[in-house]
Amino acid sequence: ALKCAMKRKKNRDRTKRLRQEIDVLEDLNHRCIIGLRGWFEDDEQIYLVLQYISGRDLSKFFKKQLPSRKTTVEIILQV
């Protein structure tokens, strides 16, 4: 999967934080976190190449129902 993030000339801090996140994701390997396979950038955007997981869409899951507090804690503890 490919995710694109716009660089904002007015907000260099956002771009710096995104690069810091990329540094963390490059070293992170956990079954509950989508893996970063690579990244590249041009003058306007940063592109993240992410692990593709077929049939899973967290936004659809949350639209159907919000998880209980217990489920939320269980998900967070896995990370």
Side-chain angles (χ1 to χ4, degrees), residues 7 11 18 40 69:
K7 291 182 182 178
N11 193 348
L18 182 57
F40 55 97
R69 181 174 287 217

Side-chain angles (χ1 to χ4, degrees), residues 12-23:
R12 295 189 192 276
D13 287 341
R14 181 177 183 269
T15 301
K16 182 180 175 181
R17 281 193 312 271
L18 182 57
R19 287 192 179 116
Q20 289 171 337
E21 271 188 63
I22 289 169
D23 288 343

Side-chain angles (χ1 to χ4, degrees):
L2 185 65
K3 180 177 183 176
C4 304
M6 292 290 296
K7 291 182 182 178
R8 303 194 187 209
K9 293 179 182 178
K10 294 181 183 178
N11 193 348
R12 295 189 192 276
D13 287 341
R14 181 177 183 269
T15 301
K16 182 180 175 181
R17 281 193 312 271
L18 182 57
R19 287 192 179 116
Q20 289 171 337
E21 271 188 63
I22 289 169
D23 288 343
V24 170
L25 287 171
E26 285 180 320
D27 295 330
L28 190 62
N29 183 14
H30 191 280
R31 65 180 182 82
C32 295
I33 299 175
I34 294 176
L36 178 68
R37 300 295 185 230
W39 68 280
F40 55 97
E41 65 183 302
D42 60 23
D43 291 337
E44 297 177 9
Q45 296 192 71
I46 296 176
Y47 303 89
L48 305 177
V49 181
L50 302 169
Q51 172 186 4
Y52 176 74
I53 299 181
S54 176
R56 297 188 180 189
D57 187 336
L58 195 56
S59 65
K60 288 180 184 176
F61 172 77
F62 286 132
K63 284 180 185 175
K64 287 182 184 177
Q65 69 177 30
L66 288 176
S68 67
R69 181 174 287 217
K70 180 183 176 196
T71 302
T72 303
V73 169
E74 288 171 354
I75 290 170
I76 292 170
L77 289 175
Q78 290 176 28
V79 178

